[in-house]
């Protein structure tokens, strides 16, 4: 075994709490404004209550945002950059974008920023922000996007021409930890344009406002200790965090440092006199408007900014260094120690990632994987939200409007979060989303199994999970329903760590399993309304590939028997079965629980093919595909023949059981054999348990070999599901043949739309009628690998359909992986499908190797669409690259 890297040793020290290497990290949000947490309106209109224009003046209640910033793990003390180009009407302190009401496809960040590097302990961090020379076109972006319809493309910042002729600054922000409490900061600014330009660079330090909500809370303070040509030193004192010092590298002249309070400007927002002239937007007014009376001449406060005025010639680069430390007497703060630590941390980051992926890989693929991992790690955020306090209000401020007690999340009074969580996208989705989080843990487990486990443990804790067993979906509506993927993620994280370390964490596995038992019971009791093992109730993220909004009452009355809902539950049962069998190896009690989930799976799977004598089956024998079934109030039923991901999700419900495992669990084996022999009416319609597979394995799956072949025939057809860039959410068949359903003269249509949906039925950026979507593609790849594990190399299918090329299921999985990876990779012309026809990203050397990880991808050309930093689940590409590299290495070894 290779010796552990320095970063791996730091991870161990962090997990054993020997050294708090993760106390400081990129835990700021990219957007705190417009969130449910900060919404105190009677109507629940979060976007309107605290928009971007108010954010600079309003002290946040629950968190903080900033550009390329860091904070401690309770987000008490924060650091980020602010910028002013001399043209903007306001400081660039936070990222701008359109709200859900303003964008023609929902919320959308309108900035260019890139997370380039991070180690798991954040001992090294790197991010890039591109800031235009000209005034930022706030009004133009809003007006043009509001003018456009859902059928039009989004109007992006590049479309304004503001980056033409490279008239912008590259602002590179890096952090390197000398020790857990001594953080080196380097900000490198390059004028990319053809003319000399001046930039105000304002590194900003501030305390999150905790004192305005409770008058018994002691207020922290910042004060200037020293300011000369060598350095400006700011002392930060907090009653619980203690003392810190920010060292700011000096200029030839004395460095100006502006101080104000992180408190609401009530005069600007509400017309009420401020108790102090020094409020949150005071530094903005001092720098942009020259109103120096808005900052405190005594140079004390709770928010401060050093003001570096950089006069940059064309293409000139300047570097500014700072240091945030728990040491008060660093002299010199920026000498050889700074430089030595900096070079060491950069080298150690490279060593960590080289050891993680030691196999041969192109520089391009290595860059993609490294940035995917960086995005995953930068997407950590301190998430605080107490529903009880949010509903009732705080003691020092007026109570919230009474309407909220009957509104959003009022049934989740127990919810009380205050920890570091992985966000889907810290601007578009700066709140945890339960099912997204499950996918995040897979690539995170490669980097830091401890953090991945902590995420799954947290979401199932009693301060998250409802007393009835439901997991909270996301803050806009905790009670919404997401696919139950947490048992799958728990098992995968357990196995990834076991592979890495030679031993899995059984205590983690058992702890989360116990909580998921409650969640599984909630599903069975609440989402199987007829008790026939067929499930319904809407599954967000897959809603827009159906005829109706499945989370709302149907226009026909009645209800839907959902192919995907039922399949997710079959998958859930198999995941729980797999975990129970592992736990049973050391505790026989779990054999009984394994039997329970085995029987659950059998009953659910049988129901997929035979709901009842008077009802249509979910499986359509003529089409060879699974569909939803609409149950009408008059007792009649009808298949909704939409060829979509709904019919592919049954493939997710698959696992094989090794003979060695069965022999070690005789009680479970006996029950399994009895069931096969004595319940032939239940097992006949699923993959046969009686036929030993390769190595005498047993298979449990909804899809028999016959059904599997028929489903794959459509899935691998390039005129249907198979895109050059993965599997589409909806068959391209519906481009020429839309599905139409008539209800009392009103037509409901499903058309193939490879990018954004033209339908506003589901709200926001409703977008699932054709694009390629990473989470379900990843699950399809895993499922094909599981089928291959049982069926072996003898089982082959045509891929693509009609090509005459026969592949094993492992080869099909590899083909899908490569198609997904090539979304990001340079093609033979040196262009990335990811960026479509965007010239700068395709050709400019300062843009073309910067990777964004979009929410989903165009079903025909692979262009990225939706949230641009959805590294959460699109970061799964890092796992695919890792798996591809390992497979290639194994093939070379065999040859």
């Amino acid at each position: 075994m290779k010796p552990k890297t320095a970063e791996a040793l730091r991870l161990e020290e962090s997990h054993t709490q020997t050294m708090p290497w993760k106390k400081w990290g990129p835990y700021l949000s990219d957007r705190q404004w417009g969130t449910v947490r900060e919404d105190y309106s009677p109507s629940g209109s979060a976007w309107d209550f605290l928009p971007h224009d108010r954010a600079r003046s309003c002290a946040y209640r629950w968190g903080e945002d900033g550009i390329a910033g860091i904070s401690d793990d309770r987000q008490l003390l924060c650091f980020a950059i602010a910028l002013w180009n001399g043209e903007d009407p306001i400081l660039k302190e936070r990222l701008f974008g359109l709200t859900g009401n303003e964008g023609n496809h929902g919320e959308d960040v309108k900035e260019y920023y890139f997370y380039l590097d991070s180690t798991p302990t954040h001992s090294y961090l790197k991010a890039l922000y591109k800031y235009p020379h000209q005034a930022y076109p706030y009004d133009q972006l809003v007006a043009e996007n509001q003018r456009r319809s859902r059928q039009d493309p989004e109007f992006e910042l590049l479309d304004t021409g503001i980056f033409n002729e490279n008239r912008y600054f590259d602002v590179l922000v890096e952090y390197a930890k000398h020790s857990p409490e001594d953080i080196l900061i380097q900000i490198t600014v390059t004028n990319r344009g053809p003319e000399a330009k001046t930039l105000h660079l304002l590194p900003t330090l501030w305390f999150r406002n905790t004192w305005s909500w409770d008058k018994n809370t002691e207020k922290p303070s910042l004060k200037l200790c020293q300011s000369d040509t060598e350095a400006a030193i700011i002392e930060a004192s907090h009653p619980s965090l203690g003392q810190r010092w920010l060292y700011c590298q000096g200029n030839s002249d004395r460095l100006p440092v502006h101080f104000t309070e992180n408190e609401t400007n009530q005069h600007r927002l509400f017309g009420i006199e401020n108790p102090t002239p020094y409020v949150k937007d005071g530094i903005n007014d001092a720098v942009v408007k020259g109103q120096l009376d808005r900052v405190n001449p005594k140079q004390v406060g709770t928010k401060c900014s050093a003001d570096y005025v950089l006069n940059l010639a064309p293409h000139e680069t300047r570097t500014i260094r700072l240091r945030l430390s728990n040491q008060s007497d660093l002299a010199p703060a920026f000498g050889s120690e700074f430089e030595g630590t900096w070079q060491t941390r950069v080298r150690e980051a490279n060593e960590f990632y080289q050891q993680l992926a030691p196999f041969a890989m192109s520089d391009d693929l290595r860059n993609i994987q490294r940035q995917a991992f960086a995005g995953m790690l930068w997407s950590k955020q301190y998430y605080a939200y107490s529903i009880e306090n949010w509903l009732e209000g705080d003691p020092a401020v007026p109570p919230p409007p009474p309407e909220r007690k009957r509104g959003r999340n009022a049934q989740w009074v127990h919810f009380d979060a205050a920890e570091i969580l992985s966000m889907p996208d810290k601007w578009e989705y700066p709140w945890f989303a339960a099912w997204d989080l499950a996918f995040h843990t897979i690539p995170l487990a490669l980097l830091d199994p401890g953090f991945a486990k902590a995420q799954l443990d947290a979401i199932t804790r009693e301060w998250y999970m409802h007393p009835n067993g439901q997991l909270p979906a996301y803050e806009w509506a905790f009670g919404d329903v997401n696919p139950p993927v947490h048992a799958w993620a728990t098992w995968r994280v357990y196995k990834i760590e076991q592979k890495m370390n030679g031993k899995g964490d059984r205590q983690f596995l058992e702890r989360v399993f116990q909580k998921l038992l409650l969640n599984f019971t909630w599903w069975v009791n609440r989402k199987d309304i007829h008790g026939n093992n067929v499930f319904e109730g809407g599954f967000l993220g897959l809603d827009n590939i159906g005829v109706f909004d499945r989370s709302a009452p149907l226009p026909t009355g009645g209800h839907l028997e959902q192919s995907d809902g039922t399949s997710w539950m079959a998958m859930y049962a198999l995941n729980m079965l797999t975990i129970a069998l592992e736990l049973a190896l050391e505790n026989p009690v779990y054999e009984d629980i394994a039997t329970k989930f085995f029987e659950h799976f059998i009953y659910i799977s049988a129901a997929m093919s035979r709901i009842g004598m008077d009802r249509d089956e979910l499986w359509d024998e003529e089409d060879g595909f699974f569909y939803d079934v609409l149950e009408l109030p008059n007792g009649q039923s009808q298949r909704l023949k939409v060829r979509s991901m709904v019919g592919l999700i049954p493939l997710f419900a698959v696992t094989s059981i090794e003979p060695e495992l069965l022999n070690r669990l005789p009680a479970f084996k006996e029950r399994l054999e009895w069931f096969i022999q004595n319940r032939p009416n239940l097992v006949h319609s699923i993959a046969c348990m009686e036929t030993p597979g390769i190595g005498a394995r047993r298979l449990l799956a909804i899809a028999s070999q016959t059904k599997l072949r028929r489903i794959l025939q459509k899935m691998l057809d390039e005129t249907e599901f198979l895109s050059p860039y993965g599997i589409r959410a909806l068959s391209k068949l519906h481009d020429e043949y839309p599905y139409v359903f008539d209800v009392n003269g009103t037509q409901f249509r499903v058309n193939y739309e490879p990018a954004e949906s033209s339908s506003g039925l589901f709200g926001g950026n409703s977008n699932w009628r054709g694009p390629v979507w990473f989470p379900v593609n990843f699950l399809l790849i895993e499922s094909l690998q599981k089928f291959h594990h049982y069926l072996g190399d003898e089982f082959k299918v045509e891929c693509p359909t009609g090509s005459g090329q026969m592949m094993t299921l492992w080869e099909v999985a590899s083909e899908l992986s490569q198609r997904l990876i090539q979304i990001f990779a340079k093609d033979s012309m040196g262009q990335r499908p990811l960026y479509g026809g965007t010239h700068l990203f395709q050709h400019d050397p300062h843009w073309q190797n910067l990777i964004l990880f979009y929410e989903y991808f165009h079903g025909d050309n692979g262009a990225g669409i939706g949230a641009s930093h959805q590294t959460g689940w699109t970061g799964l590409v890092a796992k695919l690259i890792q798996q591809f590299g390992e497979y290639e290495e194994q093939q070379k070894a065999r040859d």
Side-chain angles (χ1 to χ4, degrees):
M1 179 179 290
K2 293 182 179 179
K4 292 183 178 179
T5 64
E7 175 63 13
L9 293 172
R10 280 191 288 271
L11 268 177
E12 286 186 358
E13 291 176 338
S14 176
H15 294 153
T16 59
Q17 300 183 344
T18 307
M19 295 281 277
W21 282 106
K22 290 195 279 188
K23 182 174 181 177
W24 294 84
Y27 307 142
L28 290 179
S29 177
D30 287 339
R31 176 178 62 82
Q32 187 71 12
W33 57 273
T35 61
V36 168
R37 302 188 294 291
E38 302 295 342
D39 175 24
Y40 284 78
S41 69
S43 61
S45 53
W47 284 117
D48 300 323
F49 180 78
L50 182 50
H52 180 271
D53 184 59
R54 296 166 63 94
R56 69 180 180 276
S57 305
C58 183
Y60 296 133
R61 169 61 179 89
W62 295 100
E64 292 289 344
D65 56 19
I67 299 174
I70 60 171
S71 77
D72 64 280
D73 57 7
R74 290 184 294 160
Q75 205 171 89
L76 298 173
L77 183 60
C78 310
F79 174 91
I81 61 166
L83 305 162
W84 189 52
N85 57 13
E87 303 288 340
D88 278 350
I90 58 174
L91 287 184
K92 179 63 70 172
E93 293 183 87
R94 55 189 49 81
L95 300 169
F96 175 74
L98 303 181
T99 71
N101 304 325
E102 291 170 339
N104 61 326
H105 296 123
E107 64 270 24
D108 186 24
V109 68
K110 298 299 184 183
E111 305 271 14
Y112 294 106
Y113 58 105
F114 307 88
Y115 296 128
L116 301 180
D117 210 355
S118 177
T119 57
T121 65
H122 314 300
S123 59
Y124 179 67
L125 286 161
K126 180 164 64 172
L128 175 67
Y129 176 68
K130 291 182 178 287
Y131 185 45
H133 289 168
Q134 301 172 44
Y136 187 92
Y138 293 102
D139 294 340
Q140 182 186 7
L141 287 166
V142 173
E144 179 59 23
N145 278 283
Q146 286 190 323
R147 187 190 67 78
R148 296 188 177 196
S149 72
R150 297 190 68 89
Q151 285 71 37
D152 295 320
E154 295 166 0
F155 184 66
E156 303 294 0
L157 185 56
L158 276 177
D159 297 329
T160 67
I162 203 167
F163 288 97
N164 289 357
E165 299 179 295
N166 289 333
R167 296 179 184 273
Y168 67 91
F169 301 100
D170 265 342
V171 184
L172 185 69
V173 183
E174 299 172 272
Y175 302 89
K177 293 181 181 178
H178 180 69
S179 73
E181 296 278 13
D182 188 0
I183 304 166
L184 316 182
I185 305 168
Q186 184 166 280
I187 305 170
T188 304
V189 180
T190 302
N191 176 10
R192 295 288 181 205
E195 297 172 355
K197 280 292 178 180
T198 298
L199 174 71
H200 284 253
L201 170 65
L202 298 114
T204 302
L205 187 71
W206 75 100
F207 286 109
R208 177 166 62 92
N209 189 325
T210 56
W211 57 90
S212 290
W213 328 113
D214 185 350
K215 294 305 181 185
N216 294 321
T217 298
E218 185 180 346
K219 188 175 179 179
S221 67
L222 301 169
K223 67 178 182 179
L224 187 65
C225 298
Q226 172 186 324
S227 181
D228 53 36
T229 57
E230 293 296 320
I233 305 175
I234 300 152
E235 179 184 297
S237 300
H238 191 279
S240 61
L241 187 64
Q243 288 183 298
R244 300 292 186 281
W245 289 265
L246 179 65
Y247 297 80
C248 307
Q249 188 179 47
N251 281 340
S252 55
D253 299 322
R254 186 172 177 271
L255 178 67
V257 184
H258 309 297
F259 284 79
T260 190
E261 301 292 342
N262 185 19
E263 298 194 22
T264 297
N265 183 346
Q266 299 189 48
H267 182 266
R268 176 176 183 257
L269 298 184
F270 311 114
I272 302 171
E273 185 177 350
N274 289 316
T276 170
Y278 313 121
V279 288
K280 183 176 178 179
D281 53 13
I283 297 171
N284 174 87
D285 293 350
V287 174
V288 177
K289 301 177 182 178
Q291 297 174 354
L292 296 180
D293 60 337
R294 298 297 309 282
V295 292
N296 194 332
K298 295 181 180 179
Q299 297 190 300
V300 296
T302 49
K303 176 183 177 182
C304 68
S305 298
D307 188 357
Y308 291 92
V309 182
L310 307 180
N311 299 302
L312 298 170
H315 317 299
E316 182 183 358
T317 296
R318 290 275 301 279
T319 297
I320 300 298
R321 286 179 164 179
L322 306 99
R323 190 165 182 171
L324 181 60
S325 178
N326 62 347
Q327 299 182 52
S328 62
D329 54 353
L330 289 175
F334 307 106
S336 58
E337 181 185 65
F338 188 108
E339 185 62 35
T341 297
W342 197 270
Q343 294 178 5
T344 299
R345 294 295 179 263
V346 172
R347 185 188 72 248
E348 289 170 347
N350 292 334
E351 290 170 351
F352 174 80
Y353 282 107
Q354 181 60 41
Q355 189 170 102
L356 181 70
F359 29 79
M361 190 189 304
S362 70
D363 290 342
D364 188 39
L365 278 185
R366 198 170 291 278
N367 176 53
I368 294 165
Q369 187 186 49
R370 184 84 167 253
Q371 290 190 48
F373 282 139
M376 296 295 306
L377 293 168
W378 271 93
S379 293
K380 294 180 182 182
Q381 180 183 312
Y382 175 74
Y383 184 85
Y385 190 22
S386 168
I387 292 291
E388 183 175 15
N389 287 352
W390 184 74
L391 292 174
E392 297 292 337
D394 297 296
V397 295
E403 291 91 337
R404 71 190 302 121
K405 293 187 179 180
R406 300 185 299 274
R408 178 178 289 132
N409 297 330
Q411 304 302 314
W412 291 75
V413 182
H414 71 285
F415 186 94
D416 192 356
E419 53 208 313
I420 306 300
L421 293 176
S422 177
M423 299 292 115
D425 177 318
K426 290 202 298 185
W427 194 94
E428 297 218 16
Y429 308 115
W431 25 259
F432 80 91
W435 95 295
D436 300 54
L437 189 64
F439 293 103
H440 301 184
T441 61
I442 306 307
L444 283 171
L446 292 173
L447 300 169
D448 183 356
F451 181 71
K453 290 185 295 183
Q455 300 298 285
L456 293 166
D457 182 35
I459 203 70
T460 56
R461 288 285 187 163
E462 58 271 22
W463 50 88
Y464 284 84
M465 180 183 279
H466 197 281
N468 66 18
Q470 185 179 9
L471 294 178
Y474 56 103
E475 70 175 29
W476 284 92
F478 282 146
D480 274 349
V481 183
N482 289 158
V485 291
H486 297 84
W488 165 79
T490 299
W491 177 248
R492 292 295 290 113
V493 167
Y494 174 81
K495 294 299 287 183
I496 289 170
E497 184 178 34
Q498 187 179 59
K499 180 180 178 181
M500 291 171 62
N501 300 334
K503 184 179 181 181
D505 185 345
R506 297 180 70 85
Q507 186 179 53
F508 152 75
L509 190 66
E510 187 168 10
R511 180 190 294 118
V512 177
F513 179 79
Q514 294 287 350
K515 298 298 180 65
L516 291 176
L517 286 173
L518 302 176
N519 180 245
F520 188 92
T521 302
W522 175 84
W523 274 97
V524 171
N525 291 338
R526 297 294 294 275
K527 294 299 176 182
D528 177 12
I529 61 174
H530 293 298
N532 62 3
N533 295 294
V534 179
F535 292 80
E536 55 89 30
F539 293 84
L540 296 182
L542 290 177
D543 45 14
N544 207 12
I545 53 176
V547 182
F548 310 113
D549 181 347
R550 300 187 301 175
S551 295
L554 299 177
T556 62
H559 66 278
L560 283 175
E561 304 280 21
Q562 291 182 200
S563 174
D564 61 327
T566 308
S567 301
W568 285 118
M569 284 303 293
M571 173 186 169
Y572 197 176
L574 285 183
N575 297 147
M576 294 294 278
L577 165 63
T578 301
I579 296 172
L581 291 175
E582 177 74 7
L583 295 173
L585 293 173
E586 293 187 6
N587 186 346
V589 170
Y590 284 100
E591 285 194 72
D592 295 340
I593 299 176
T595 299
K596 164 188 167 59
F597 285 108
F598 166 68
E599 294 184 1
H600 261 298
F601 170 74
I602 295 295
Y603 283 114
I604 293 170
S605 300
M608 287 286 291
S609 297
R610 190 169 183 265
I611 296 175
M613 295 299 293
D614 59 340
R615 297 176 181 170
D616 284 325
E617 298 177 2
L618 299 176
W619 173 256
D620 187 303
E621 182 60 33
E622 181 179 354
D623 287 4
F625 207 70
F626 285 102
Y627 299 111
D628 285 348
V629 172
L630 175 62
E631 296 292 332
L632 297 167
N634 62 9
Q636 295 181 339
S637 63
Q638 180 178 347
R639 288 196 191 98
L640 301 178
K641 292 193 175 185
V642 179
R643 200 75 63 79
S644 75
M645 188 63 69
V646 164
L648 302 181
I649 288 174
L651 299 182
F652 298 169
V654 55
T655 195
S656 59
I657 304 175
E658 300 296 323
E660 296 83 4
L661 180 61
L662 280 177
N663 292 335
R664 292 178 63 184
L665 302 172
F668 174 76
K669 181 179 181 181
E670 180 181 359
R671 180 62 177 165
L672 179 149
E673 299 291 0
W674 182 92
F675 211 92
I676 292 171
Q677 296 298 324
N678 292 277
R679 293 288 187 269
N681 60 316
L682 292 175
V683 300
H684 82 282
S685 60
I686 64 171
C688 184
M689 283 288 299
E690 295 179 287
T691 306
I694 303 302
R697 299 183 182 104
R698 300 286 189 152
L699 182 72
L700 282 171
I702 286 176
S704 64
Q705 292 190 37
T706 302
K707 288 179 181 175
L708 177 63
R709 285 190 183 278
R710 298 192 69 187
I711 294 169
L712 291 182
Q713 185 179 29
K714 296 171 181 61
M715 189 182 93
L716 301 178
D717 188 336
E718 292 180 309
T719 67
E720 287 215 38
F721 287 100
L722 184 60
S723 157
Y725 308 101
I727 300 299
R728 302 175 174 105
L730 187 74
S731 171
K732 199 171 182 179
L733 173 77
H734 293 303
D735 190 17
E736 186 174 355
Y737 303 102
Y739 182 81
V740 181
F741 188 84
D742 188 279
V743 179
N744 298 323
T746 300
Q747 285 193 342
F748 293 82
R749 299 172 63 88
V750 177
N751 297 72
Y752 171 73
E753 297 175 286
E756 294 95 344
S757 171
S758 60
S759 168
L761 179 64
F762 306 101
N765 51 358
S766 186
N767 47 33
W768 303 123
R769 290 191 166 174
V772 171
W773 195 24
F774 251 80
V776 286
N777 269 264
F778 188 83
L779 289 174
L780 283 170
I781 289 167
E782 277 206 348
S783 298
L784 291 171
Q785 291 169 341
K786 291 176 184 178
F787 275 112
H788 176 264
H789 187 64
Y790 178 80
L791 296 170
D793 290 344
E794 298 303 312
F795 186 92
K796 295 186 177 183
V797 294
E798 196 176 27
C799 180
T801 299
S803 67
Q805 179 175 290
M806 304 302 292
M807 292 187 183
T808 67
L809 296 185
W810 184 272
E811 290 169 336
V812 174
S814 297
E815 175 67 20
L816 294 183
S817 294
Q818 290 179 55
R819 290 185 182 222
L820 290 164
I821 291 169
Q822 74 181 27
I823 290 173
F824 303 91
K826 289 182 178 178
D827 61 18
S828 59
M829 302 296 291
Q831 299 193 29
R832 305 182 193 277
L834 167 73
Y835 290 130
T838 308
H839 183 271
L840 268 182
F841 276 107
Q842 297 290 20
H843 301 287
D844 190 289
H846 302 303
W847 294 72
Q848 62 183 1
N849 291 320
L850 302 172
I851 311 298
L852 292 173
F853 298 88
Y854 284 89
E855 187 175 1
Y856 55 105
F857 300 88
H858 194 289
D860 294 338
N861 62 34
I865 316 168
S868 58
H869 286 76
Q870 185 90 355
T871 323
W873 62 36
T874 303
L876 288 164
V877 70
K879 180 67 168 70
L880 294 179
I881 292 172
Q882 186 80 2
Q883 185 171 279
F884 179 75
E886 290 172 350
Y887 178 70
E888 290 285 295
E889 197 76 7
Q890 291 168 2
Q891 289 295 102
K892 289 178 183 177
R894 290 194 189 100
D895 296 341

